[in-house]
Amino acid sequence: MAHFLRSAFLMSLLATLMLGSAQADGIVAKIVNSPLNSAGMVKDGYTALNVYLQKPDAEGIDFFDPSVPGFGIPPGGHIEVEMHEGFTRNPDIQMDAAAIHMVAGAPQQGLSSKNLGYQSAEGKNPNTFIITAQSAEGLPPEVLLPRAAIQKLDPVPNSGLKVFHIGLRTIAFSNTGETGVIAVRIVDGHGNIVASGEAEVEFWDTPRPQIHPNNFLNEGRNHNWQSVFPGETVGRSLGTLPLTFMLFEKPDGSREDIRNARDGILGAGILSSAQLAILEFDLPEELARYDSGLIVRDTNDDGLIDPHVDQIIGGVSTEAPNGDTNFEVRSVALLGRPVLSQPTAEFSERAGARIGGAIMQVQFRTGKTLGKYRPTFALLKDPSDLNSGDGSSYTYTILAR
């Protein structure tokens, strides 16, 4: 078994490096706000981030294709995550697995440090996490599976390390200055750096409303990279799940107030471009980028959303194969009425108490063309100003095949 694990890891790592040694130092794709937090990237605020990784042959969100294995911890080696620039360490917080967590995919496909056997400690300087496997054999990608995959609940399972969640249960850093830089290095048992990369994040001047991917529903199954036949609907077709989101209000007040903010955006949903046409709503020029629909918040408490009377807080734009326009994205409906965003506690009492926020559920009907449909869901930086531009956003991938 030990020989198998060592061989499997080395084969996976070798394949990654052979795909393009010139790009082997670029395994960090980007840095985003934590999906369980309302303000982890605010200037001079607390640090709650996700570090998205990638491979030379699967850059950006293509790395989250479940057919692409993530990274692992080499036999006898380790992974270094250095908060290189722009972060101030809180020395009272340990650099353990409560402060940094490995994740197999987005959304929230956490890799249990206890069940899988890895640990984190302070490295060569106070700003570096050193992540090691408890076994000398390391942890190859194929054994790094999220809970739903281990329990065989997940028809779309990811494997291997794809994201670092920094500031999960404890927060060891604060954001300092205008920007921050995080570096990641995978080191083998001989001390050689076999893959590395870094990315810069620009801190926000003020908090923003937040939209994040979420999988609290359906026992933690992967809601991303679902597949259907052309013309079928993710979120309605048998065996599929809605696209689910965590929504946070923009927090205000002191640094402590912002850190403790848990308020979700309630009563929000999506009207497709077809629904907007039925409502005879002409999209304002400043929102023309939202070609697929609008995110609207029910402000008159009638349980419906209408941009003529309710608040527009964001919108959806979609990248479709061959320019197919026969898709539709809209809120999940029940008895002919949209299911608008509800407090997280309605779905998970524990998560509602600890994290807060609100959950929004969306369905997506693919067009007639085979391929990848990628709707991007964005919230305005300031919903009171339609010219404020996009703030928080997330892109799901749906396959028609």
Side-chain angles (χ1 to χ4, degrees):
M1 179 65 176
H3 175 74
F4 169 77
L5 292 177
R6 183 185 294 110
S7 299
F9 177 84
L10 292 175
M11 288 176 65
S12 174
L13 186 59
L14 181 61
T16 299
L17 299 177
M18 288 178 64
L19 287 168
S21 58
Q23 302 179 59
D25 62 346
I27 66 169
V28 180
K30 64 178 180 178
I31 301 168
V32 301
N33 194 86
S34 158
L36 301 178
N37 204 282
S38 63
M41 288 171 48
V42 178
K43 191 181 302 180
D44 298 323
Y46 59 88
T47 303
L49 304 170
N50 271 196
V51 181
Y52 280 30
L53 304 180
Q54 62 183 0
K55 287 184 177 180
D57 64 329
E59 296 183 329
I61 60 176
D62 283 330
F63 187 45
F64 292 91
D65 183 340
S67 69
V68 177
F71 293 97
I73 302 176
H78 64 271
I79 300 176
E80 301 175 2
V81 179
E82 183 173 9
M83 314 298 283
H84 189 57
E85 298 174 13
F87 300 98
T88 299
R89 168 78 185 279
N90 180 348
D92 295 329
I93 303 298
Q94 296 185 27
M95 301 282 275
D96 57 16
I100 188 169
H101 195 69
M102 297 203 301
V103 181
Q108 280 88 37
Q109 295 186 279
L111 297 169
S112 170
S113 58
K114 179 180 179 181
N115 295 337
L116 296 171
Y118 69 89
Q119 57 196 11
S120 174
E122 184 178 303
K124 60 184 178 182
N125 62 55
N127 279 31
T128 299
F129 296 95
I130 298 291
I131 300 165
T132 56
Q134 293 174 348
S135 168
E137 304 303 326
L139 286 170
E142 61 269 21
V143 304
L144 288 175
L145 298 173
R147 173 174 55 89
I150 291 173
Q151 296 178 350
K152 301 189 184 304
L153 299 172
D154 203 342
V156 193
N158 264 301
S159 65
L161 165 66
K162 296 191 175 185
V163 177
F164 283 109
H165 191 142
I166 297 174
L168 178 60
R169 294 189 297 276
T170 60
I171 297 177
F173 292 91
S174 58
N175 308 321
T176 307
E178 301 292 326
T179 61
V181 176
I182 298 177
V184 176
R185 297 176 287 270
I186 300 179
V187 183
D188 68 14
H190 302 289
N192 301 311
I193 297 175
V194 295
S196 64
E198 65 178 39
E200 182 179 82
V201 57
E202 182 176 340
F203 300 134
W204 309 330
D205 290 328
T206 60
R208 305 170 179 177
Q210 293 292 308
I211 182 169
H212 301 301
N214 187 271
N215 68 342
F216 286 169
L217 281 67
N218 309 110
E219 300 181 89
R221 283 175 54 185
N222 183 10
H223 293 56
N224 204 0
W225 288 83
Q226 297 184 74
S227 63
V228 291
F229 291 114
E232 288 191 337
T233 301
V234 167
R236 289 189 62 185
S237 297
L238 184 65
T240 68
L241 307 174
L243 309 181
T244 51
F245 297 89
M246 173 82 79
L247 303 177
F248 285 105
E249 292 271 22
K250 172 187 173 181
D252 294 308
S254 68
R255 177 174 172 172
E256 183 177 353
D257 291 336
I258 291 172
R259 175 170 180 151
N260 294 330
R262 300 286 187 272
D263 292 342
I265 300 174
L266 302 177
I270 292 178
L271 291 168
S272 70
S273 55
Q275 289 175 304
L276 293 172
I278 293 172
L279 292 171
E280 298 183 343
F281 181 79
D282 294 325
L283 204 63
E285 184 177 347
E286 56 267 43
L287 302 181
R289 63 191 179 280
Y290 298 146
D291 55 29
S292 307
L294 293 177
I295 306 174
V296 181
R297 182 175 189 171
D298 175 22
T299 52
N300 63 2
D301 296 324
D302 64 355
L304 301 173
I305 45 175
D306 181 343
H308 293 292
V309 296
D310 295 315
Q311 185 182 35
I312 299 170
I313 62 173
V316 188
S317 57
T318 303
E319 177 185 337
N322 296 327
D324 193 325
T325 59
N326 293 301
F327 60 83
E328 185 181 32
V329 55
R330 59 193 294 179
S331 285
V332 168
L334 181 63
L335 300 178
R337 297 173 68 88
V339 177
L340 304 180
S341 58
Q342 301 166 270
T344 299
E346 295 290 327
F347 307 97
S348 169
E349 185 176 349
R350 178 184 177 190
R354 176 171 168 260
I355 299 167
I359 301 293
M360 181 175 71
Q361 302 179 66
V362 178
Q363 64 185 46
F364 187 95
R365 189 191 73 227
T366 61
K368 300 177 181 179
T369 307
L370 297 174
K372 299 172 185 174
Y373 291 79
R374 285 182 163 155
T376 296
F377 302 81
L379 294 184
L380 294 167
K381 288 181 183 177
D382 180 359
S384 67
D385 179 6
L386 298 185
N387 287 298
S388 62
D390 294 343
S392 175
S393 67
Y394 186 75
T395 302
Y396 270 99
T397 299
I398 299 104
L399 303 177
R401 59 186 180 187

